[in-house]
Structure formats: structure tokens, C-alpha cells
Amino acid sequence: MKKVQFTETVLRDANQSLMATRMKFEDFKEILPTMDKAGYYSVECWGGATFDSCLRYLGEDPWERLRKIREAMPNTRLQMLLRGQNLLGYKHYHDDVVEKFVELSIKNGIDVIRIFDALNDFRNIKTALEATKKYGTDRTVASGCISYTQSPVHTVKKYVEMVKELKAMGFDTICFKDMAGTMSPFEAESLIKGVKDAIGDMPLVLHTHCTTGMAYMTLTKAVECGIDVIDTATSCFSNGTSQAATETMFYALQQYGVETGLNEKVMNEVNDFFKPVKQKYIDNGTINPKSMGTDSQALVYKVPGGMLSNMIANLKDMNALDRFDEALVEIPNVRKDLGYPPLVTPLSQMVGNQAVTNVLMGERYKQISNEIKNYFRGEYGIAPGEVSKELQTKILGEGGKPADCRDEDKKRTGEEFAKAKEALGELCETEEDMMSYICFPQQAEKFLKERKAKRENIAKYTIEEI
Ligand code: CO
């Protein structure tokens, strides 16, 4: 019998896609022991934007959140999303920082680390993989993740090469990450059939979003073609910009005789629990109804939904919304000049902003953003395809070539640790505090100061009560 396992995303990607990762730990802690019995392959609960959001908006220690989830769900694999050398931020960190972050993630409870790079430059995920292997236990899974996109250079042949490379690097599973939700059932079929030989018996995972309305068809086709794990969200937190519904996929697949290992009764309990949670966040405006609908524009322009709404907001700010159509046409041109990067953070913002600038200035690349300049200097890694030679010369000068970003990354001097400890002083009580500061300095410092103040208050009251 065919077997497919499910990764439940309500605590991370569904939370991030529908409500900007604002779900508090208090809102879901009661259901964790129940979720532990559902029979998921894993629960994605950490990484992505959860870390930043905990510190910046929720006043929570992300490490403590992870430890509490671990304690409440001892039997389920806990999963995180890690942006390779960027960890959970936007810049490249030194190798010693990446290693320490992975070590602490595993120590605090993570089992599955899904590691990706926006450009699929796998040099950027090598250090995180090696650290996962070094500090992992027998339940740790290193998942090599490919950012999926469509372009003239992103052929099935190219994806086969990527799969072979990830396999040779030593990953345990391979995941295709369709962040824009633009993978069609037809494309899923050619992709999965195409990479099958290269994958061998390694588990293959598909991550997609409902944004354009294709996820259910694409996932069903993927199962037919032999996918091993799919990402879904409990139904009340599914659809729109989130994942397909767990219970719905379960129901449909069961009729095909697919074995899922899921417990239907428990799954329904999980969904019943989250219904009022969702309602609360709709009522207080955290969930934008727009994110719950289907948006087929991404299929026409090959641009993720979030990128379009960003662009509309920017143009509105500049009183230039009437130039939207021109900017939309300029996006594929800029993307081509950059060698077809997948439109995922931070590349989606970079390409979108440059397209808007090109249109508003009335001349292409009259003004070039620093991020685009850094991209050409090689700070993000190698471009997937040929970049525009003309633009490269304009930025790097005649004969200029991008430098290897790995030269800077390779450092193991401890300087970022020392800087963090010095800046925090007595606020830094653990290595986890230090790492929070390295990733998000201002947010972590503010959080740690508040933590200290809160404790002193509690101590004061306790003494008075005695
Ligand atoms: Co996603």
C-alpha cells in the first residue's frame, strides 16, 4: 500500500502566512499533548519568522517556546525552517555562529532541520548541514531544500542536478519548496518523475501553498507520483496563502487506499481547538481576509502574492499607483538581468523594488539599489543563470567579477559571540540569549531588559507578600 506522511504547519507556516506569525504560545499550549497523538510525520513549529516575531512582537523567548513545545510533545518530530548561512535573518553569518545556532536548536528540541538557500547556492547550506550532522542525535533529520521556481534556466534537468548535489552532500531527505504556490499538477508530475532516479530511496517532501488555488491538485498528483511527505495545515488554518487542509487531504487520499498514519479523531480535535483561536485573530484584525482568498495573478505574472501587495503599497506611498502595470511588466526583465533568481525573500523584495525604480525614473538602472549591487558583488551567492553583462559592468566596472561570499563566511574567530556578550553584559545569561542577540540585536536586547525588569518586579512582590 502506498504511504504518505504529513507535516502539520499550523504553528509555523500557516501562522506566518495567514497572520504574520503573531500566534502566542498561550493560544496553543493546551492542544500540544493532543497534537502529539495525531501521527504526523512532524510538526513545523519553529524557524522562519517565529524567532523574530517572538522577540519583536510577542515578548516571548523563542528558545523557551521551543523547549515548552518539546516538553508537551515528546513523541512527535519537531521541525524548523532555516535559511542556510542567513539562519533566520537576512545577512550571512560566520560559520561559528551558524554551527552554534544549529547546536542550540537541536539541544532545545528540534528534530528536523529543513535548510534552504534563496538562490539554491548550496555552498550556503553546507555549514548548517555539517553542524546538524555533528550535533544531531539518532532522531535528527537534515532536510535539503530546493527553492522551486519557473524560469528558462530552471529545467527538470537542472533540478535533477540539484537533487544529486544535495544527496552527495549527505542530506537525509530532500524537499521542494514552492513558496509562491505556482507549481501546477503537470509540473509536479514532470518534476517528481524526472528526479525519481536521482532520489533513489531517499524520502522526498513537497511544500506548497494554496495562494493560486492549485495546491490540492498538485499534492494529489505528487502523491500519485510517489511523494513521501506533504506539508498541510489543520483545516481552519488552511487555504489562502497557507497550506492545503490536513483533514481534507487525509480524506481524499484514504479513498485511494493511501496509508497516512494519521488519527482522524485527534485531527478533528486539533481543528476544533484552533477554530476559536482563528476567530479571535480575525476579530482583532490580525488575520487579513485578503490572505484567505485565492489569487490567480501569481500564475499570470509568476510573482508571489506577497510581492504584489508589497509593490502596491510602495507605489501608493509614492502616489504612483497608476504605474503599477508598467512595474509589473518590468519585474520579469529585472529578474532576467539578475539570472532568474527564485522570487523568495530577500530576492522578491529586491527585484520588486528595482522594477519600481526603473519605471519611476524613466530610465532602467539609472538608480541601482545597494542590495542589487551587493547581489552582483556575489554577497548572496551565485546567480542561477547568466546575469546581464551590461549591468554587471555598470556595477563592478570593466572586467569586474563577483567575489566569493564564502571567504567572509568561513570565519571562526568568535568575534560575533564576543560582541554580543559585551553588548548584553549581565543580561546575557545563556548561550541562547547570546544567539538571540546575534540574530536580532535590538529586539533581543529589549526583550532581555524586559525579562530582567519582570523578574525584579516578581521578586519585589514576593518579598512584600512574605
Ligand atoms: Co512556505
Side-chain angles (χ1 to χ4, degrees):
M1 193 194 261
K2 206 173 242 180
K3 201 178 159 195
V4 174
Q5 289 184 289
F6 285 55
T7 290
E8 172 59 54
T9 67
V10 62
L11 303 183
R12 206 288 297 179
D13 204 348
N15 173 14
Q16 185 168 331
S17 300
L18 293 180
M19 50 182 285
T21 333
R22 300 292 204 277
M23 204 190 291
K24 294 190 188 99
F25 176 76
E26 287 298 315
D27 284 327
F28 61 77
K29 71 170 184 189
E30 304 292 341
I31 196 65
L32 294 174
T34 308
M35 286 178 79
D36 201 30
K37 296 186 206 120
Y40 306 122
Y41 167 79
S42 63
V43 167
E44 195 196 34
C45 62
W46 212 63
T50 57
F51 197 98
D52 185 12
S53 180
C54 277
L55 290 169
R56 195 187 297 258
Y57 303 110
L58 304 177
E60 285 183 41
D61 182 342
W63 302 99
E64 194 185 343
R65 171 186 282 216
L66 175 56
R67 287 192 297 272
K68 285 179 181 164
I69 298 174
R70 173 78 288 164
E71 203 186 333
M73 300 179 71
N75 302 309
T76 306
R77 289 188 196 92
L78 301 186
Q79 184 170 319
M80 76 173 292
L81 181 67
L82 190 73
R83 200 183 298 123
Q85 204 73 22
N86 295 344
L87 299 175
L88 307 175
Y90 303 107
K91 65 168 207 174
H92 275 237
Y93 295 99
H94 292 171
D95 278 352
D96 53 2
V97 173
V98 174
E99 277 162 19
K100 182 55 85 179
F101 192 90
V102 170
E103 180 193 344
L104 293 177
S105 301
I106 294 170
K107 192 178 139 198
N108 282 275
I110 286 295
D111 299 307
V112 184
I113 309 192
R114 180 181 285 173
I115 312 168
F116 81 104
D117 175 68
L119 292 174
N120 293 318
D121 181 343
F122 297 148
R123 299 171 310 162
N124 293 337
I125 62 177
K126 192 166 175 274
T127 305
L129 166 68
E130 284 166 359
T132 307
K133 291 286 172 191
K134 183 173 172 190
Y135 296 104
T137 66
D138 50 2
R139 59 187 275 167
T140 306
V141 177
S143 186
C145 184
I146 296 169
S147 307
Y148 176 80
T149 188
Q150 294 103 335
S151 88
V153 298
H154 288 89
T155 56
V156 172
K157 193 168 156 252
K158 178 85 183 174
Y159 285 120
V160 170
E161 280 167 28
M162 289 185 199
V163 164
K164 282 184 182 160
E165 200 181 332
L166 291 178
K167 198 175 174 185
M169 285 170 82
F171 280 102
D172 304 308
T173 66
I174 288 177
C175 171
F176 279 104
K177 174 182 165 66
D178 174 26
M179 52 276 167
T182 56
M183 187 192 289
S184 69
F186 180 84
E187 287 165 351
E189 183 174 16
S190 22
L191 183 66
I192 296 168
K193 284 185 175 165
V195 301
K196 215 167 212 167
D197 285 341
I199 295 264
D201 52 12
M202 255 178 118
L204 183 62
V205 184
L206 181 58
H207 174 85
T208 186
H209 288 251
C210 290
T211 323
T212 68
M214 278 194 300
Y216 293 92
M217 294 183 276
T218 303
L219 289 174
T220 308
K221 186 50 99 177
V223 171
E224 203 181 297
C225 297
I227 204 87
D228 298 289
V229 182
I230 56 174
D231 288 8
T232 58
T234 193
S235 57
C236 65
F237 269 93
S238 69
N239 296 343
T241 51
S242 175
Q243 272 75 48
T246 310
E247 304 94 294
T248 312
M249 284 306 300
F250 164 81
Y251 183 87
L253 294 180
Q254 218 187 14
Q255 294 188 340
Y256 285 104
V258 176
E259 193 190 312
T260 63
L262 288 172
N263 182 318
E264 198 176 355
K265 189 175 155 276
V266 175
M267 262 191 304
N268 290 332
E269 274 177 52
V270 171
N271 190 44
D272 285 342
F273 175 88
F274 277 106
K275 277 182 200 164
V277 176
K278 180 192 182 185
Q279 195 54 49
K280 182 178 102 177
Y281 285 111
I282 291 179
D283 293 344
N284 72 16
T286 307
I287 295 184
N288 180 347
K290 248 189 94 184
S291 66
M292 295 191 291
T294 300
D295 182 357
S296 59
Q297 258 192 327
L299 296 174
V300 182
Y301 303 110
K302 301 287 182 215
V303 170
M307 189 174 155
L308 284 183
S309 41
N310 239 343
M311 223 169 77
I312 293 171
N314 285 347
L315 285 169
K316 240 186 210 160
D317 278 350
M318 292 182 276
N319 248 331
L321 202 52
D322 57 324
R323 313 294 297 274
F324 179 65
D325 290 343
E326 286 168 80
L328 212 48
V329 173
E330 177 63 0
I331 288 178
N333 301 331
V334 173
R335 189 172 174 231
K336 180 169 182 258
D337 292 339
L338 265 59
Y340 299 107
L343 293 178
V344 59
T345 303
L347 269 308
S348 45
Q349 291 87 340
M350 285 158 56
V351 169
N353 292 343
Q354 189 63 51
V356 167
T357 308
N358 285 358
V359 166
L360 294 187
M361 299 296 285
E363 185 189 326
R364 304 191 70 218
Y365 304 111
K366 190 171 180 187
Q367 215 178 69
I368 302 172
S369 74
N370 285 331
E371 287 81 8
I372 298 272
K373 285 181 186 163
N374 291 339
Y375 176 88
F376 274 82
R377 289 184 188 120
E379 284 188 17
Y380 293 86
I382 298 171
E386 287 272 314
V387 299
S388 151
K389 286 285 165 275
E390 198 188 326
L391 190 52
Q392 179 168 311
T393 306
K394 191 166 180 179
I395 293 168
L396 302 178
E398 201 59 57
K401 284 214 164 54
D404 188 347
C405 60
R406 290 292 297 143
D407 292 342
E408 176 68 13
D409 298 348
K410 280 178 200 138
K411 285 185 182 167
R412 284 190 172 81
T413 56
E415 65 184 272
E416 293 189 62
F417 300 143
K419 248 195 282 175
K421 280 184 192 157
E422 199 195 314
L424 287 178
E426 58 165 6
L427 289 175
C428 182
E429 295 172 7
T430 60
E431 286 189 317
E432 284 82 354
D433 292 343
M434 174 186 84
M435 199 52 71
S436 296
Y437 182 85
I438 292 174
C439 293
F440 298 99
Q442 288 151 346
Q443 291 74 27
E445 192 174 348
K446 183 173 154 270
F447 169 79
L448 294 171
K449 273 185 184 154
E450 283 166 6
R451 180 177 77 181
K452 185 166 175 263
K454 219 190 260 173
R455 279 199 201 138
E456 282 165 358
N457 259 338
I458 291 170
K460 201 171 87 194
Y461 287 125
T462 316
I463 290 163
E464 279 169 8
E465 275 164 26
I466 289 166

